[in-house]
Amino acid sequence: MPRALDWLAVARNCFTDTLGTLRRGLLTSVFALVVGMERVWHLDEMEDVGFALLTGGRRCPSRHSIGGWRRHLAWYEVDAFCRRTAPWHLIEGQDVLCSYDEHTIPRWTRKFHLQKGYVTTRNKYMRCEKLFYTFDVLGGRYLAVRATPGNGSLGPLAVPLVRQTLACGRPDYLHGLFDAAAGQADAGVRALCDLVEQEHPRLDVTLRACRYPHRVRAWKALDSGLFVPHQEPGPYVGAPPKEVRLAETPTVLKDESPEQAVRTIVCREVVRGPKKDRWHPLFTTSLGEVDEVLGLFRLRQYHEQAYRVGVYDESLDSVPCGYDKQSANPKRPRWQRGPLQMIGWLVALVYNAVADFAQALEGDFAGCQVRTLRRTFFNRPGQLYATPEALIVCLDPFAGQEALVPVIDAFNAAGHRLPWLDNRRLVMSLTPRQQQRAGP
């Protein structure tokens, strides 16, 4: 609740609110992600008084007003909101490991001719839209977002996203991690390397190299003596260790001289049986040991895990469309990134806020996913008591409620008030659990 009120205060300075729907639209979009409402039209079935009070009114909002507010968000106002709510202070003056990656949202429309992009879950090119996120791997928090049509690519955006992190976050040192989409063209790899030379020693980048046939043949032709074997844990407890062989070699990019060769770490994963070994090459500007660079790049999996949580726990793939469904020509529909980027960024902000909430709980809850915390703490029955001065929320007793004590104490001490409820103070409380009697 405190974070949502802060975002609402920022939004009042960014959005024009001629119809007076900003407060209801923003709070409903935020708390729908918290309680797990997957689609905006599910508001027609919502009859919870607590949800109504959370979203800025005394009755549950209508899907028509909320959907209308979302559809008419201007891209420049959304950009201003994203800039002012981005948590760049988390990495200021730190040694940072950031991941830059795209999340593709498939669109199933046949009426509108949208730009196509590659959807990994479907393994084909199809109509889609994309969100490009900046993710702090070590801190586990989203830092920025940018929306594009389906034909957008990480290659042209890689350098601007890194520059944004350096300028806004002001870290002491930044190591950027990129998937193979950033290195599809050698020009994109060279642009990142040139940026590293400009920002040295503040910046390093590591990106997965595309496995083009001519380069794979060259990597496979390397002398076997260059590969150093490493033992890694198996995929499950009790599994035999996995053998990985690492080698370092220079790779000359297209139309460049050998003096400009890029440091390449070739990871050969030995597969037992009739299957072929797997090759995972990395381009890097880091001077660290090959196993250290590989270990850092594997931490990018936390970013992929955050996408998984966003899709299954926060309905990331249900964000509003970026194309205008009222376009006169369906073959060339108008496109604005305001609604798509706004809700995509709210998904990231809620992810960050829930992670902070998990760390503040008493016990070992840090790292729990949104759905786990929602089931354990958020979607809980209780009683509401309204007095002339306060709104008291008394949760029914449940197992594990003691973990909420430090969070509730800090919340009540802050003295938060609800402007839409005659400025009443919001007070949280727990119902003591009955002690089990010993003996018969």
Side-chain angles (χ1 to χ4, degrees), residues 351-367:
Y351 179 91
N352 292 350
V354 171
D356 293 341
F357 170 82
Q359 286 187 340
L361 291 172
E362 183 177 347
D364 187 16
F365 290 95

Side-chain angles (χ1 to χ4, degrees), residues 105-124:
I105 303 171
R107 300 302 187 193
W108 307 101
T109 178
R110 293 186 178 273
K111 176 181 177 181
F112 297 94
H113 288 216
L114 306 181
Q115 300 289 347
K116 290 187 177 182
Y118 181 70
V119 182
T120 55
T121 56
R122 293 278 171 175
N123 195 25
K124 64 179 182 180

Side-chain angles (χ1 to χ4, degrees), residues 76-191:
Y76 50 88
E77 295 177 340
V78 172
D79 272 356
F81 177 80
C82 293
R83 287 194 304 269
R84 299 184 185 186
T85 54
W88 294 115
H89 62 279
L90 297 177
I91 65 172
E92 185 174 356
Q94 305 291 326
D95 292 342
V96 182
L97 186 67
C98 275
S99 173
Y100 304 88
D101 196 15
E102 64 187 32
H103 177 71
T104 305
I105 303 171
R107 300 302 187 193
W108 307 101
T109 178
R110 293 186 178 273
K111 176 181 177 181
F112 297 94
H113 288 216
L114 306 181
Q115 300 289 347
K116 290 187 177 182
Y118 181 70
V119 182
T120 55
T121 56
R122 293 278 171 175
N123 195 25
K124 64 179 182 180
Y125 283 86
M126 59 182 297
R127 296 180 177 92
C128 64
E129 293 169 334
K130 293 184 179 181
L131 290 168
F132 292 85
Y133 284 101
T134 302
F135 187 78
D136 178 13
V137 174
L138 300 179
R141 301 294 186 272
Y142 284 103
L143 298 176
V145 68
R146 185 174 301 186
T148 69
N151 61 344
S153 178
L154 185 59
L157 289 176
V159 171
L161 290 176
V162 174
R163 289 188 184 276
Q164 180 189 36
T165 305
L166 293 173
C168 299
R170 297 191 296 275
D172 282 349
Y173 171 76
L174 171 64
H175 192 154
L177 306 178
F178 296 88
D179 203 358
Q184 291 180 344
D186 286 356
V189 178
R190 174 47 54 191

Side-chain angles (χ1 to χ4, degrees), residues 115-385:
Q115 300 289 347
K116 290 187 177 182
Y118 181 70
V119 182
T120 55
T121 56
R122 293 278 171 175
N123 195 25
K124 64 179 182 180
Y125 283 86
M126 59 182 297
R127 296 180 177 92
C128 64
E129 293 169 334
K130 293 184 179 181
L131 290 168
F132 292 85
Y133 284 101
T134 302
F135 187 78
D136 178 13
V137 174
L138 300 179
R141 301 294 186 272
Y142 284 103
L143 298 176
V145 68
R146 185 174 301 186
T148 69
N151 61 344
S153 178
L154 185 59
L157 289 176
V159 171
L161 290 176
V162 174
R163 289 188 184 276
Q164 180 189 36
T165 305
L166 293 173
C168 299
R170 297 191 296 275
D172 282 349
Y173 171 76
L174 171 64
H175 192 154
L177 306 178
F178 296 88
D179 203 358
Q184 291 180 344
D186 286 356
V189 178
R190 174 47 54 191
L192 285 172
C193 294
D194 291 343
L195 180 62
V196 171
E197 293 181 2
Q198 297 173 13
E199 299 292 340
H200 182 78
R202 296 180 58 206
L203 176 64
D204 276 316
V205 295
T206 300
L207 64 156
R208 188 189 299 273
C210 290
R211 288 173 285 198
Y212 293 122
H214 67 286
R215 287 187 177 156
V216 172
R217 287 193 296 267
W219 293 327
K220 289 184 177 181
L222 291 174
D223 186 4
S224 60
L226 296 176
F227 288 87
V228 179
H230 292 268
Q231 296 289 336
E232 295 185 347
Y236 55 89
V237 177
K242 180 174 58 176
E243 182 180 352
V244 175
R245 300 175 183 176
L246 302 177
E248 179 180 346
T249 183
T251 299
V252 180
L253 302 179
K254 184 179 179 180
D255 298 331
E256 291 189 356
S257 62
E259 291 77 12
Q260 297 176 289
V262 180
R263 184 190 184 195
T264 307
I265 296 174
V266 182
C267 173
R268 180 182 180 181
E269 182 180 347
V270 179
V271 180
R272 293 183 176 89
K275 295 184 179 180
K276 298 180 180 179
D277 293 348
R278 298 172 182 172
W279 295 78
H280 308 287
L282 299 175
F283 291 148
T284 185
T285 61
S286 174
L287 300 179
E289 298 294 334
V290 292
D291 55 339
E292 295 178 358
V293 175
L294 178 62
L296 290 176
F297 185 80
R298 285 179 171 174
L299 294 178
R300 203 186 67 85
Q301 187 62 31
Y302 289 117
H303 192 176
E304 300 289 350
Q305 178 69 13
Y307 283 154
R308 183 262 174 208
V309 173
V311 170
Y312 292 101
D313 296 6
E314 300 182 79
S315 303
L316 178 58
D317 285 350
S318 300
V319 296
C321 300
Y323 63 93
D324 187 0
K325 296 181 179 180
Q326 305 300 324
S327 298
N329 185 5
K331 293 186 177 181
R332 298 188 65 182
R334 296 183 295 268
W335 194 85
Q336 62 153 341
R337 55 188 169 91
L340 172 65
Q341 182 168 312
M342 179 65 180
I343 307 303
W345 181 234
L346 289 181
V347 169
L349 290 178
V350 170
Y351 179 91
N352 292 350
V354 171
D356 293 341
F357 170 82
Q359 286 187 340
L361 291 172
E362 183 177 347
D364 187 16
F365 290 95
C368 286
Q369 298 179 1
V370 175
R371 185 175 297 184
T372 301
L373 298 173
R374 177 188 300 142
R375 183 179 63 252
T376 308
F377 299 108
F378 297 158
N379 293 353
R380 283 290 172 183
Q383 302 295 325
L384 298 176
Y385 301 95

Side-chain angles (χ1 to χ4, degrees), residues 18-36:
T18 56
L19 300 178
T21 57
L22 171 61
R23 182 183 69 196
R24 212 77 205 271
L26 179 65
L27 293 180
T28 302
S29 299
V30 169
F31 288 108
L33 301 173
V34 175
V35 303

